[in-house]
Amino acid sequence: MKLTPLLEDVDGAHAPGLFGVLLRTFEDFRYIGDHTGTARTSTDDTAAPSAVLLFRARAGGKEIHGVDLLHFDEDGRIKEFTVMVRPRSTVHALGDAVLAGLVEEGLASAPARRQVY
């Protein structure tokens, strides 16, 4: 699930609201494993302390398998955060649910309505 298009209007100050929406969207969210080490970030290609967190959850009655990829700065704060989920059948439904939550919280603009001819 790539949140970038959903988050064009969300800045760092709204991150707690975003995570609140995510927690309300996922059902039975649980971490099931973790790995730590060092990896290159995609933003500036520098090596950074990193963590991979494996999770399971449900959304819309479907089981989700996911991975959180975190890169940390020199102060231990999150520098880059990526979420990947599968199966593909849940990705679009999950994206729509997260966007609806962000709009409801005032953290993102509602998508433009498509004209049906």
Side-chain angles (χ1 to χ4, degrees):
M1 174 178 178
K2 186 169 176 145
L3 291 174
T4 303
L6 301 176
L7 301 178
E8 291 172 348
D9 299 330
V10 178
D11 60 30
H14 294 97
L18 167 62
F19 285 103
V21 168
L22 291 171
L23 290 174
R24 286 191 301 279
T25 302
F26 287 119
E27 304 161 16
D28 191 27
F29 183 91
R30 63 210 178 276
Y31 282 108
I32 61 166
D34 64 274
H35 303 279
T36 58
T38 303
R40 294 202 168 279
T41 65
S42 64
T43 53
D44 60 11
D45 198 37
T46 60
S50 303
V52 176
L53 307 174
L54 308 168
F55 68 86
R56 298 287 186 267
R58 285 189 334 272
K62 295 190 178 201
E63 182 73 18
I64 296 171
H65 297 206
V67 177
D68 290 338
L69 305 172
L70 294 93
H71 297 282
F72 304 96
D73 67 14
E74 57 277 351
D75 296 323
R77 296 171 57 146
I78 296 173
K79 176 179 184 176
E80 187 174 302
F81 185 79
T82 302
V83 178
M84 292 186 281
V85 297
R86 63 175 301 271
R88 188 171 69 170
S89 62
T90 62
V91 173
H92 294 293
L94 187 56
D96 290 345
V98 170
L99 178 58
L102 292 171
V103 169
E104 184 178 307
E105 293 288 323
L107 299 174
S109 301
R113 297 185 86 118
R114 288 186 235 172
Q115 294 288 337
V116 178
Y117 298 99

